[in-house]
Amino acid sequence: MPLWMLRPARCTWVADCGHVGGGLGERFEVSPPCETRERPRAMPRFHLSTPIYYVNAAPHIGHAYTTIVADTIKRFRRMLGEDAYLTTGTDEHGQKVERSAHKAGLDPKQFTDRVSAAFRREWDELGLEVDHFRRTSDPRHALAVCRIFERCLENGAIYKDSYTGKYHLGDEAFVTDEEAAQSDPEQITTVTEENYFFRLSDFQQRLIDLYESQPDFVQPDTRRNEVLAFVRSGLRDLSISRSSLRWGIPLPNDPEHVFYVWFDALTTYMSAIGYGEEESGETDYERLWPIDVHLVGKEIVRFHAVYWPAFLMAANLPLPRQVWAHGWLIFQGGKMSKTKGNIVRALPVKEVVGTDGLRYYLLREIVFGQDGNFSHKALATRYNADLANGIGNLASRTVSMLSKYCGGEVPAASGGDDGGLPALAATSIADAVGHYRRFAFSRALESVWSLLSRVDKYIVEHRPWMLAKSRETAAREELEATLYNTAEALRVATALLAPIIPDGAQKVWEALGQEGRVANVRLDRLAWGGLVAGTRSGPQRAVYPRLDVAKAVKQMEALEEQALAEQAELMGRGRPVKRIEIDTPEIEIGDFARVDMRVGLVQAAEPVRKSRKLLQLQVDIGEAEPRTILAGIAEAYAPEQLVGRRVAVVANLQPRKMMGRVSQGMVVAASLDHGKPHLAGFSEEAPVGARLT
Ligand code: ME8
């Protein structure tokens, strides 16, 4: 029998251990190992990062998503007894940020100070436990970037050359012709520059070897396959400097150039923990590098899983252990983006449902790794179902029954039907811990909920309120067993939920009379039976007050508007930013004059066979004959709604063949993110054929 099995159930030395009662020496029985955290003694360490976010816009819920997940992982690893650290920061150099600063009428330093502080505040307000926050504008960061560059240079991985290529302004990256053809033409520009190049092509085989020898280096598998295919298709050398830009870190050997943002940004993961500063004293670098996980959104997996390891290989530095790329939060039909304006902020949501409500929804509703919709209504509904009516309600019922039937003390379970709860709890613990390890958060929650639902049933089956009325000993014993088993199952579930809903878990923990922090429980030692008979339960309070869904949604939306105005202030505009940013290049009046737009009157409209989208219109624009115009508006308008309506028609557009018919112009419609079209019209009776100027 292992030694721990002969220890007293009561923990004798951990100051904030939850084990109370059962005096020393009284309970030398077979008991699980102490579940609470041990004194820090050569603990294994775990280090993870989020991306460092661009400061060209204020934080939104997409940024919060990654950071909340990272915080959850960190809390979970701590509950495995590991010394876990979270690194994040802000990405402040480059053209995009320079342009945003300019728009705000600030110099880049002032602008980035402001927005970076907002990110920091956001993580504090959301209760996220960040250990290292590094800004790329921090001079200590520049030391690290220069150090890695110099190592790459010494090892022959860098050369200078002239380069002409297609450059994507939004992504701040050179792109292939194929990628340029698939991008928004406004974002693509041709750039010729003398640049420093990184010999990425030399690293193709070493990268493939890495992915093959460490199959979980890139996760999930879909992303791994993508990365592998990209690398197998051949790698081109990478330009890593810009001479046309000032807002960046100058190259140590050629200060006319500044570093390309990604070479600069990726190095933050090391500069944040002191790489480059070792000479000025002890840093965390030795202890925390290599990092265990880079958590990123799927759109930046290539930078992390291809470029970054190649830079490190060239610099002869240890590689990260894993890059984990998650999916996107989708809102109003698209990935949230600053340019599209379909953005939700985290703080207004937190105001209404608390940080736990937000965290729970994001981790329960969205399968981690996949894209998932964000909806205020779904969030409020989920909160009510699982938190208010679920664990919150079970906690208050349990405490109230303990108080009513057992004088506020946990009774002993001396037999009686346990409803299979101990076995189910053991399964839930093993499953949930396994799922957490694999970042399958929604499945971890399902495992806990299978235990909680069983407890609900168990209470109904045993009807403690009826047992309490009986004076028979057997009934009393059954009542006590029922309450013990219920409270113990709740204790186990609460500990398992602590990484995701830390605030509520702590409250339930206290309601069950447990001392110390639930965050100090060791999940790898969590086992049935840790609840000690005689423990006094805590006060009964509503952990998650129930919401009126409609009202909560309205509240969140109103707060969102307010947050938008505040953030506009933050971005230096002093007035609410529109949700849409117009970033198309300016044109001259002559360019506009080339488009001949006329007032048209719809005379007839009919569906186009086999087309869901098209309607065929006959539109009078004042010529001898009406024009036949095909418009992609069938999903928004019925033909009969259109007859007699005045529309704006582009009259000098080349005729275009669609579905075997020829369209002799275009009607003008507005749509948001390719959503429902709204025909442009006239509130007055504009004369047919009049030109729009
Ligand atoms: O890419 N859904 O910064 P960024 C889920 N500075 N996650 C989202 C999201 C959404 N709709 N929107 C943003 C950059 N994210 C670079 C990174 S790292 C060395 C440099 C999260 O401000 C997600 O983690 O555009 C995504 O990868 C990151 O924010 C992008 O943040």
Side-chain angles (χ1 to χ4, degrees):
M1 182 181 286
L3 268 183
W4 60 260
M5 291 182 125
L6 289 171
R7 277 207 321 226
R10 177 178 142 129
C11 177
T12 53
W13 60 267
V14 179
D16 56 0
C17 171
H19 293 178
V20 290
L24 204 61
E26 285 168 30
R27 286 176 27 117
F28 275 95
E29 59 189 24
V30 174
S31 69
C34 178
E35 287 173 359
T36 45
R37 201 174 172 79
E38 282 179 356
R39 282 196 182 125
R41 199 185 322 132
M43 282 195 267
R45 65 106 178 121
F46 188 89
H47 180 200
L48 87 160
S49 66
T50 74
I52 51 158
Y53 304 109
Y54 285 130
V55 289
N56 59 335
H60 62 68
I61 207 166
H63 305 123
Y65 178 54
T66 315
T67 319
I68 284 173
V69 171
D71 175 86
T72 300
I73 296 171
K74 175 184 153 178
R75 287 174 193 265
F76 167 68
R77 304 300 309 206
R78 290 223 154 190
M79 291 182 79
L80 293 182
E82 296 177 6
D83 206 10
Y85 292 88
L86 168 57
T87 290
T88 186
T90 43
D91 190 354
E92 306 188 5
H93 291 132
Q95 210 166 339
K96 263 200 289 200
V97 173
E98 206 176 25
R99 259 192 277 150
S100 301
H102 180 70
K103 264 194 204 167
L106 296 171
D107 75 47
K109 178 72 175 77
Q110 282 174 318
F111 177 76
T112 53
D113 282 352
R114 206 184 258 201
V115 186
S116 178
F119 271 93
R120 226 182 164 132
R121 235 181 2 255
E122 178 103 354
W123 307 149
D124 285 347
E125 286 188 36
L126 290 174
L128 306 181
E129 295 180 351
V130 168
D131 301 288
H132 296 276
F133 186 102
R134 179 53 48 104
R135 303 177 55 185
T136 57
S137 61
D138 186 321
R140 291 171 299 176
H141 170 69
L143 292 177
V145 178
C146 292
R147 167 88 70 93
I148 293 189
F149 173 77
E150 279 163 349
R151 291 180 70 120
C152 292
L153 198 65
E154 276 160 25
N155 293 338
I158 284 170
Y159 62 96
K160 193 174 181 184
D161 202 359
S162 146
Y163 178 71
T164 300
K166 298 213 162 68
Y167 189 73
H168 191 290
L169 292 169
D171 291 352
E172 311 241 21
F174 279 103
V175 288
T176 61
D177 288 345
E178 201 178 282
E179 285 166 336
Q182 286 165 5
S183 308
D184 173 0
E186 302 298 346
Q187 292 287 337
I188 303 295
T189 165
T190 301
V191 172
T192 300
E193 273 190 8
E194 259 288 81
N195 278 340
Y196 283 83
F197 282 83
F198 177 79
R199 292 186 196 281
L200 186 63
S201 54
D202 282 359
F203 290 86
Q204 181 176 9
Q205 194 51 48
R206 281 182 70 184
L207 286 167
I208 293 174
D209 293 346
L210 167 69
Y211 310 139
E212 285 175 349
S213 63
Q214 282 181 52
D216 64 352
F217 180 76
V218 187
Q219 280 295 298
D221 283 341
T222 42
R223 303 292 156 227
R224 175 178 185 267
N225 295 340
E226 246 173 55
V227 166
L228 203 53
F230 172 74
V231 174
R232 282 198 175 125
S233 73
L235 293 175
R236 295 193 318 169
D237 289 351
L238 196 68
S239 150
I240 56 155
S241 73
R242 296 278 175 276
S243 54
S244 53
L245 196 76
R246 296 280 32 102
W247 179 236
I249 300 173
L251 265 59
N253 60 331
D254 191 348
E256 285 307 301
H257 289 250
V258 298
F259 282 102
Y260 164 53
V261 280
W262 279 97
F263 194 92
D264 166 350
L266 288 159
T267 305
T268 317
Y269 299 128
M270 288 167 75
S271 74
I273 49 173
Y275 177 75
E277 292 174 62
E278 299 89 335
E279 279 155 25
S280 53
E282 202 185 315
T283 71
D284 275 345
Y285 172 69
E286 287 296 326
R287 203 161 53 91
L288 297 185
W289 196 265
I291 196 163
D292 293 275
V293 183
H294 287 309
L295 205 61
V296 297
K298 64 182 179 182
E299 78 289 354
I300 54 174
V301 67
R302 189 187 295 177
F303 298 98
H304 286 80
V306 182
Y307 301 173
W308 180 225
F311 296 159
L312 292 170
M313 284 171 183
N316 215 1
L317 289 164
L319 306 185
R321 301 210 167 92
Q322 188 174 58
V323 175
W324 220 103
H326 64 70
W328 289 335
L329 285 189
I330 305 289
F331 184 60
Q332 293 176 342
K335 178 189 180 236
M336 281 178 218
S337 97
K338 298 152 212 171
T339 26
K340 284 192 208 151
N342 57 337
I343 278 180
V344 177
R345 323 272 154 179
L347 294 181
V349 175
K350 177 216 146 178
E351 285 302 306
V352 180
V353 298
T355 43
D356 280 6
L358 172 63
R359 294 168 72 102
Y360 182 78
Y361 171 77
L362 292 175
L363 290 161
R364 174 68 185 81
E365 198 90 358
I366 294 151
V367 175
F368 194 64
Q370 298 178 14
D371 292 351
N373 276 308
F374 180 88
S375 133
H376 288 107
K377 186 168 174 206
L379 185 148
T381 309
R382 217 357 129 183
Y383 169 98
N384 268 354
D386 293 1
L387 298 185
N389 299 341
I391 181 142
N393 182 37
L394 178 62
S396 62
R397 276 158 73 206
T398 306
V399 174
S400 134
M401 289 191 293
L402 286 174
S403 135
K404 254 199 225 155
Y405 310 135
C406 301
E409 264 186 21
V410 174
S414 46
D417 170 33
D418 61 21
L421 286 175
L424 187 58
T427 310
S428 287
I429 294 167
D431 288 354
V433 169
H435 291 315
Y436 271 126
R437 282 186 191 277
R438 291 185 290 277
F439 301 167
F441 306 105
S442 54
R443 299 203 58 194
L445 289 170
E446 277 165 18
S447 316
V448 180
W449 252 263
S450 68
L451 175 62
L452 291 175
S453 322
R454 179 71 195 105
V455 178
D456 278 336
K457 264 204 198 132
Y458 175 73
I459 297 174
V460 172
E461 282 161 14
H462 287 264
R463 302 198 294 173
W465 48 94
M466 295 305 289
L467 294 171
K469 289 185 184 153
S470 165
R471 292 183 178 279
E472 285 172 26
T473 317
R476 181 74 207 164
E477 275 178 11
E478 196 183 336
L479 172 68
E480 292 185 350
T482 304
L483 291 191
Y484 180 86
N485 291 325
T486 298
E488 174 58 353
L490 181 61
R491 186 191 72 91
V492 167
T494 302
L496 289 174
L497 291 172
I500 293 182
I501 47 170
D503 292 351
Q506 182 61 32
K507 286 183 191 155
V508 177
W509 195 247
E510 286 165 16
L512 287 173
Q514 303 301 292
E515 287 175 4
R517 314 280 315 157
V518 62
N520 287 341
V521 169
R522 285 283 299 262
L523 291 181
D524 52 338
R525 296 175 184 175
L526 183 64
W528 185 268
L531 185 63
V532 179
T535 304
R536 287 209 64 79
S537 59
Q540 191 194 349
R541 51 183 170 163
V543 182
Y544 297 112
R546 204 160 298 157
L547 296 173
D548 172 329
V549 172
K551 224 161 110 187
V553 170
K554 271 210 182 116
Q555 247 176 318
M556 285 188 266
E557 287 172 350
L559 287 166
E560 174 71 38
E561 285 301 313
Q562 210 175 307
L564 201 66
E566 281 165 19
Q567 292 189 348
E569 195 91 28
L570 168 80
M571 303 308 286
R573 293 183 186 95
R575 65 189 160 79
V577 243
K578 302 226 170 60
R579 284 167 165 264
I580 304 287
E581 222 175 281
I582 312 287
D583 58 359
T584 40
E586 279 181 359
I587 57 168
E588 293 187 359
I589 187 76
D591 297 325
F592 177 68
R594 293 181 56 217
V595 184
D596 191 342
M597 270 194 281
R598 303 280 172 165
V599 177
L601 181 69
V602 181
Q603 294 187 325
E606 59 181 44
V608 173
R609 226 163 61 83
K610 292 198 182 150
S611 171
R612 258 187 319 119
K613 289 209 162 142
L614 289 179
L615 287 184
Q616 178 171 308
L617 313 178
Q618 298 299 323
V619 186
D620 178 8
I621 59 166
E623 297 171 313
E625 295 288 328
R627 296 266 187 118
T628 299
I629 295 179
L630 296 166
I633 54 172
E635 286 170 327
Y637 295 93
E640 56 278 12
Q641 282 177 280
L642 298 173
V643 178
R645 187 169 170 146
R646 278 176 162 72
V647 289
V649 173
V650 181
N652 63 340
L653 200 65
Q654 266 182 2
R656 204 168 144 220
K657 208 162 170 188
M658 285 184 264
M659 304 295 287
R661 304 167 193 219
V662 176
S663 182
Q664 301 164 314
M666 185 178 106
V667 291
V668 179
S671 73
L672 194 61
D673 296 332
H674 309 292
K676 179 179 182 270
H678 297 268
L679 280 172
F682 302 90
S683 49
E684 293 148 312
E685 291 246 309
V688 170
R691 183 156 182 196
L692 276 74
T693 55

